[in-house]
Amino acid sequence: MQATSSLRESLVTGGKTVHDVTQDICSRVEDKPNKTWLGAMTLSLITLGIGAYAVFMLLWDGIGVWGLNKTVGWAWDITNFVWWVGIGHAGTLISAILLLFRQKWRMSINRAAEAMTIFAVICALMFPALHMGRLWLGFYWALPLPNTFGSLWVNFNSPLLWDVFAISTYFSVSLVFWYIGLIPDFATIRDRATNKVSKAVYGALSFGWDGAAKTWMRYESVALILAGLATPLVLSVHTIVSFDFATSVIPGWHTTIFPPYFVAGAIFSGFAMVLTLMIVTRKVYKLEDYITIYHIELMNIVITITGSIVGIAYITEFYMAWYSQVPAEGYAFLNRMAGPYSWAYWSMMTCNVISPQLFWIKKIRTSIAATFIISIIVNIGMWFERFVIIVTSLHRDYLPSSWAYFSATRYDVGVYLFTFGIFFTLFFLFAKFFPVINMAEVKSIIKTSSEKKD
Amino acid sequence: MTEEKYIFQAATKKKLVIVGIVGILLFVAGIVLFPGAEHHGEEHALISVENTDLVASSDETPAATEGHDAHAEEAHHGSSTLVKNIYSNLWVNNVYFAGLAIIGLFFIAIQYAAQAGWSAGIKRVPLAMATWLPIAGVLMLVSWFVVGHDVFHWTHLDLFKEGSDTFDKIINAKKGMWYWPLTDNPSAIPVFFIGRMVLFFGVWYLFFVWIKKQMLAEDLNGGVVHWKKARTLSAVFLVFFGYSSSIAAWDWVMSIDTHWFSTMFGWYVFASWWVTGLSVIALIVVMLKEAGYMKIVNSNHIHDLGKFIFGFSIFWTYIWFSQFMLIYYANIPEETVYFIERLSSSNYVWIFFLNLILNFLLPFLLLMTRDAKRHMSMIKVVTPIIIVGHWFDFYLMVTPGVMQNKGGFGLMEIGMFLIFAVVFLFVTLSNLAKVPLIAKNHPMLEESLDHHI
């Protein structure tokens, strides 16, 4: 048995036994849906319905229903895309990178975080697809498929195409990683199932898992290989998203710090979303012994670190715009701070740079209410970050006669709502029918890292 | 097993002295054999002629002409090529070895902040490396006053004289970066620049003293109080380091190519320092282990160090690639000039590719497997490659900006590197011998002893 320093706080409290873990997690799946869940599900389905109307109108009338104009050709669509992809980073970071760093505290949050990753990436994928206006042609525009349209072929020089490859690879690996982790837990639910339907369904889902030593051995080596694959992938995804902007010659977009700074921002927003979801889940499912204040504190520290990295990057960009003495670059940054979109810039600075610094105070980073509020503020800030980068850099281009102001229409908002509908519908389905905590992994740390019963 | 003290033996000292003497001999040989050294009198005339050639030839690459009229003028002020070469080389080593010291402290701070357990047994090695900090600070400050005028283009005051033909609008506009509060009337001393240098080394050194105090008090008193204090100090240090390391990189390295800019540069220098520091830590740990010390360190700890080196070699490459690719792709003359300078000169182009081979390709391939990371023999192969490789990385950041296309690599460079390395090791090892080699009361020590991966 491994030694654990007395300095380490318990990761599982309440003197849980191995059986308690099974009981606490499986019963959420086995119980009938409660009222809170039904209410939440109804709400997300309504959001999805409203959003679906906006999507229908978008496809029927074309993207003219959005507020885009000839100067600002990219706005909410790409903002939302980058925002969702960024959120999608936390799951893999928690399960892969923290696995490589042997951080045991990841074990009770990785399942839900990975699920969140997959749903967030699905939401993100909506935007590149929808912004083409004609979904049915999208495959030819986005994938290098042989076609009969003459010379129509994808542009391999474009980072937008690299995005298609990076994100689809990332999605596949995350899905496989998440699913493999679920198999032993599905088998546990299967073995406990009392009715025929769930026995059959969870039986199929668990791929005939037998729990033999050999099976476990294979399971562990697959997890390690997938973690090794997912680590460079998670970093590459937002790197390539940042290339979408940084390879161009638009002031405010072209800057070399973008790749690592985007990755830090993605982790920042991803952890905030994990916290938002986990704080609700732990309350509704009474998982306080598994997702402890200590877990929340550690996630808050990750938010402070990544928030500070993002802050340093903002300052670096701003300083370098002056240091370069390139007039267009300097103007782009002054325009951010004091131009027509300064409200967006200052929202971003307040939410992203100032709010996470509050976590230096122990009382705040261990307070559930404060954490919940700040986690939402951070994600608002990260949405504004992308909006600031995209819209403020575009709206005043080289030709002052074509300067324009972008205002969102109800269809911009509607399509964004649509992705919220998808996200929450999927997440609530997951929370009801799948085990929200990785039982097998949490059981492995019960002996070393849990509070003992007196 | 946890009571150990390193003895800096006479035999080791003798070896270091011999290497140091070899370094001096190589350095002197390099000066004697320096091309053109015998005709000292004609040096000035010769340089101006060559510089005219440079301006003419660089017309083919429009980007490279940017700022070169200013460079041609520089020959009038500058020292002879030989002296400039020595100065440039001195600055490379200053920045490189200062980096090793600061990474020593950074490594410790990260271990505390992350509450790492595995590293409890090896922390005295980076601590000893960080004792180089005050020496690095003094060396850098003193040598700045010697080499500054030849290394840093922006120290030429005629750049700021409006109306003169050497006036440079761009550099003039950003002189506040170095000369504030004397911005309107730049004097010979860039107050703001020097002030920052003193501040950074001063604060880094203070944190080093404070953290070290806690670490040593823990040896005597035990308990977790010192560990907790050291953790708080580390967290505050890391915040300061986050800003100061980037600004230091802009000041000490990026401003050499005075017109050029890249937002990534601060993190690029950090990545280079960090992976070199990790390699030096690993190499010293392995050497100590081979000399019979560090009994509590086993292949699991070596594995972790190996993973760090492997991972951060890739990280450095990631930063390198991102910076290069974005500049290449956007193809803006103000930015590409930096790489054109390095790729179009036969003096640098081989180093440009060697840099990638030594710092990415070799560590990546050699440390890929689990076994490679666990064996001391492989660590002993890879870490010197990285240590030398990143010296070349810094060489390539500094030299072309100072020497234009005349920077060379020869005995002199090898000699000075050896001299610096010997003095650095002398300081590190003699300080390592002053304190117990193992932090026997470290609250995470048991985890480290039990470490198994």
Side-chain angles (χ1 to χ4, degrees):
Chain A
M1 200 176 89
Q2 276 192 317
T4 305
S5 167
S6 60
L7 284 163
R8 308 244 184 241
E9 285 180 49
S10 313
L11 295 174
V12 181
T13 55
K16 296 286 179 190
T17 61
V18 173
H19 178 70
D20 290 338
V21 177
T22 313
Q23 190 60 32
D24 288 348
I25 311 299
C26 287
S27 60
R28 308 297 162 223
V29 180
E30 290 153 357
D31 291 347
K32 284 230 150 44
N34 62 21
K35 272 189 187 143
T36 329
W37 186 85
L38 286 171
M41 196 63 192
T42 315
L43 208 65
S44 16
L45 285 172
I46 291 171
T47 316
L48 186 65
I50 298 171
Y53 168 74
V55 169
F56 175 76
M57 289 312 289
L58 178 84
L59 292 175
W60 189 257
D61 283 343
I63 56 169
V65 299
W66 280 345
L68 303 174
N69 50 54
K70 74 182 165 78
T71 311
V72 184
W74 265 10
W76 277 46
D77 44 359
I78 304 301
T79 303
N80 297 339
F81 161 72
V82 180
W83 189 74
W84 277 119
V85 173
I87 287 172
H89 274 58
T92 317
L93 184 102
I94 290 171
S95 43
I97 298 185
L98 295 187
L99 171 76
L100 296 181
F101 277 104
R102 294 188 301 267
Q103 298 296 309
K104 288 178 184 164
W105 59 275
R106 77 176 201 287
M107 287 176 180
S108 46
I109 52 169
N110 57 4
R111 168 73 44 78
E114 282 173 51
M116 183 210 74
T117 288
I118 289 157
F119 306 148
V121 174
I122 292 173
C123 292
L125 284 171
M126 293 296 150
F127 290 98
L130 288 175
H131 97 303
M132 291 189 280
R134 278 168 273 178
L135 265 181
W136 49 98
L137 291 176
F139 287 108
Y140 292 109
W141 290 345
L143 300 172
L145 295 174
N147 59 67
T148 53
F149 300 122
S151 61
L152 184 67
W153 195 248
V154 291
N155 180 5
F156 286 101
N157 289 331
S158 166
L160 298 176
L161 183 69
W162 310 341
D163 250 354
V164 175
F165 301 145
I167 294 177
S168 50
T169 312
Y170 177 59
F171 180 74
S172 321
V173 171
S174 301
L175 190 67
V176 172
F177 198 12
W178 178 63
Y179 195 83
I180 293 209
L182 274 163
I183 289 175
D185 285 0
F186 279 148
T188 308
I189 299 173
R190 171 200 64 194
D191 296 344
R192 288 164 52 99
T194 43
N195 71 60
K196 266 191 185 150
V197 178
S198 38
K199 206 164 192 86
V201 171
Y202 289 105
L205 287 173
S206 59
F207 287 177
W209 174 271
D210 55 10
K214 196 77 192 164
T215 320
W216 273 111
M217 215 175 83
R218 290 198 187 103
Y219 168 87
E220 280 180 4
S221 51
V222 164
L224 209 58
I225 291 169
L226 285 174
L229 278 176
T231 303
L233 267 178
V234 71
L235 298 179
S236 80
V237 168
H238 232 58
T239 297
I240 290 172
V241 168
S242 83
F243 286 172
D244 291 351
F245 308 102
T247 51
S248 66
V249 285
I250 292 172
W253 282 12
H254 172 69
T255 179
T256 49
I257 207 171
F258 260 28
Y261 143 56
F262 265 51
V263 172
I267 295 165
F268 180 54
S269 68
F271 265 77
M273 187 58 103
V274 172
L275 275 170
T276 312
L277 294 177
M278 291 320 270
I279 286 174
V280 177
T281 312
R282 110 193 244 279
K283 178 89 190 144
V284 175
Y285 281 178
K286 301 190 180 60
L287 296 173
E288 284 89 346
D289 283 328
Y290 300 97
I291 302 160
T292 63
I293 297 287
Y294 182 56
H295 284 91
I296 292 171
E297 191 183 351
L298 288 174
M299 284 194 267
N300 283 335
I301 291 173
V302 173
I303 285 184
T304 311
I305 294 168
T306 47
S308 306
I309 294 175
V310 168
I312 292 180
Y314 290 161
I315 296 166
T316 304
E317 272 192 301
F318 198 72
Y319 164 76
M320 218 51 88
W322 169 77
Y323 181 83
S324 71
Q325 288 293 319
V326 176
E329 192 74 25
Y331 178 75
F333 279 86
L334 280 182
N335 186 44
R336 273 186 196 179
M337 281 176 99
Y341 285 108
S342 58
W343 54 272
Y345 178 82
W346 293 109
S347 311
M348 162 189 106
M349 285 307 256
T350 318
C351 298
N352 286 353
V353 180
I354 299 167
S355 76
Q357 299 303 326
L358 293 172
F359 286 139
W360 281 95
I361 303 160
K362 182 147 180 134
K363 258 214 172 106
I364 295 182
R365 71 168 182 265
T366 51
S367 147
I368 291 173
T371 303
F372 186 69
I373 293 166
I374 294 176
S375 72
I376 291 170
I377 289 178
V378 163
N379 263 322
I380 294 173
M382 284 309 287
W383 189 88
F384 273 115
E385 181 197 290
R386 280 64 176 251
F387 182 79
V388 164
I389 292 173
I390 292 159
V391 176
T392 23
S393 305
L394 286 177
H395 85 121
R396 287 187 165 174
D397 61 4
Y398 296 106
L399 205 61
S401 62
S402 45
W403 285 5
Y405 192 85
F406 164 86
S407 304
T409 66
R410 67 178 102 156
Y411 296 104
D412 283 295
V413 184
V415 176
Y416 189 32
L417 276 182
F418 174 67
T419 51
F420 272 103
I422 297 180
F423 183 75
F424 284 108
T425 306
L426 290 174
F427 189 81
F428 290 134
L429 283 175
F430 156 78
K432 177 64 201 76
F433 297 107
F434 285 14
V436 289
I437 284 180
N438 191 330
M439 292 185 276
E441 285 206 326
V442 168
K443 284 174 189 169
S444 74
I445 54 167
I446 284 268
K447 267 189 187 163
T448 50
S449 306
S450 71
E451 199 176 77
K452 301 287 173 289
K453 214 170 234 171
D454 298 317
Chain B
M1 198 153 110
T2 56
E3 297 268 6
E4 258 185 48
K5 205 159 158 78
Y6 172 67
I7 299 158
F8 192 14
Q9 273 161 340
T12 319
K13 284 180 187 166
K14 199 173 148 193
K15 270 185 211 156
L16 283 177
V17 169
I18 292 171
V19 177
I21 291 170
V22 171
I24 293 170
L25 289 178
L26 286 175
F27 181 68
V28 173
I31 291 177
V32 174
L33 297 173
F34 193 75
E38 55 273 25
H39 357 261
H40 247 294
E42 300 157 41
E43 196 71 17
H44 272 269
L46 195 71
I47 289 172
S48 352
V49 172
E50 281 178 18
N51 262 302
T52 333
D53 289 348
L54 170 62
V55 174
S57 67
S58 59
D59 279 347
E60 292 155 25
T61 47
T65 55
E66 195 253 348
H68 269 252
D69 29 312
H71 286 150
E73 155 272 327
E74 213 166 11
H76 296 296
H77 302 260
S79 318
S80 72
T81 315
L82 170 64
V83 174
K84 267 179 100 167
N85 204 49
I86 296 172
Y87 285 178
S88 164
N89 195 7
L90 189 64
W91 196 253
V92 172
N93 286 306
N94 259 322
V95 175
Y96 178 87
F97 284 94
L100 294 186
I102 189 62
I103 291 305
L105 183 57
F106 178 75
F107 182 87
I108 290 171
I110 284 282
Q111 303 308 310
Y112 276 116
Q115 313 183 17
W118 67 276
S119 58
I122 59 161
K123 269 153 104 182
R124 292 296 149 91
V125 174
L127 185 73
M129 281 162 63
T131 47
W132 178 257
L133 258 181
I135 302 169
V138 172
L139 261 180
M140 201 178 258
L141 190 66
V142 171
S143 54
W144 189 86
F145 283 96
V146 179
V147 308
H149 205 57
D150 285 305
V151 173
F152 294 95
H153 180 53
W154 50 264
T155 53
H156 294 203
L157 299 180
D158 46 358
L159 293 170
F160 311 118
K161 278 195 203 96
E162 229 160 315
S164 80
D165 43 337
T166 49
F167 176 70
D168 189 312
K169 209 175 104 193
I170 290 173
I171 298 178
N172 186 53
K174 56 188 185 185
K175 64 187 171 194
M177 180 63 192
W178 310 295
Y179 291 100
W180 183 84
L182 302 171
T183 313
D184 289 333
N185 183 23
S187 67
I189 298 170
V191 186
F192 200 22
F193 175 90
I194 295 292
R196 276 197 300 270
M197 190 189 280
V198 173
L199 176 82
F200 291 169
F201 276 105
V203 175
W204 293 343
Y205 180 63
L206 270 183
F207 274 102
F208 163 69
V209 171
W210 289 334
I211 293 173
K212 184 181 177 182
K213 205 174 121 192
Q214 297 301 333
M215 289 171 79
L216 295 184
E218 184 186 81
D219 280 353
L220 302 174
N221 310 331
V224 296
V225 187
H226 297 296
W227 183 87
K228 285 189 169 157
K229 274 188 189 156
R231 192 179 59 161
T232 312
L233 284 169
S234 297
V236 181
F237 165 75
L238 288 174
V239 174
F240 182 77
F241 180 80
Y243 288 91
S244 56
S245 63
S246 272
I247 299 173
W250 303 337
D251 274 357
W252 306 340
V253 190
M254 197 171 77
S255 80
I256 293 172
D257 287 88
T258 313
H259 284 100
W260 186 74
F261 54 89
S262 165
T263 40
M264 184 77 106
F265 202 78
W267 294 354
Y268 179 74
V269 169
F270 162 72
S272 193
W273 272 348
W274 176 224
V275 71
T276 319
L278 287 170
S279 300
V280 174
I281 294 170
L283 184 60
I284 294 179
V285 167
V286 168
M287 295 307 253
L288 285 172
K289 189 136 182 67
E290 289 202 334
Y293 298 102
M294 295 241 162
K295 289 180 205 73
I296 63 167
V297 171
N298 55 40
S299 49
N300 294 301
H301 306 91
I302 303 289
H303 190 179
D304 272 342
L305 283 168
K307 279 194 273 191
F308 257 123
I309 295 169
F310 178 72
F312 282 98
S313 288
I314 297 172
F315 177 75
W316 171 85
T317 316
Y318 167 67
I319 300 287
W320 182 95
F321 175 76
S322 298
Q323 178 170 271
F324 179 80
M325 200 282 270
L326 289 176
I327 289 175
Y328 168 84
Y329 196 113
N331 202 13
I332 298 173
E334 285 91 332
E335 294 181 346
T336 50
V337 61
Y338 185 81
F339 291 112
I340 289 173
E341 239 184 321
R342 284 150 179 80
L343 279 166
S344 61
S345 161
S346 58
N347 287 3
Y348 307 124
V349 67
W350 64 277
I351 299 177
F352 188 87
F353 292 104
L354 183 73
N355 191 13
L356 290 173
I357 294 168
L358 295 182
N359 296 328
F360 172 62
L361 211 59
L362 289 179
F364 181 72
L365 295 176
L366 292 174
L367 284 182
M368 178 106 64
T369 63
R370 176 186 154 91
D371 280 351
K373 297 185 201 87
R374 293 177 75 86
H375 282 118
M376 297 207 290
S377 52
M378 191 49 101
I379 298 292
K380 266 167 53 191
V381 171
V382 177
T383 53
I385 293 176
I386 293 174
I387 291 166
V388 170
H390 280 281
W391 184 88
F392 275 113
D393 190 19
F394 276 96
Y395 174 91
L396 206 58
M397 288 185 234
V398 171
T399 316
V402 182
M403 305 295 296
Q404 281 73 57
N405 61 2
K406 286 212 281 288
F409 177 79
L411 297 179
M412 207 185 341
E413 279 72 19
I414 300 171
M416 201 188 292
F417 175 73
L418 289 181
I419 298 168
F420 262 88
V422 163
V423 180
F424 174 81
L425 280 177
F426 230 97
V427 171
T428 303
L429 294 180
S430 54
N431 279 287
L432 190 63
K434 282 182 194 159
V435 295
L437 195 56
I438 307 293
K440 61 174 180 193
N441 289 330
H442 197 294
M444 300 280 186
L445 190 63
E446 208 184 325
E447 279 189 17
S448 184
L449 292 174
D450 214 30
H451 190 48
H452 181 77
I453 49 173

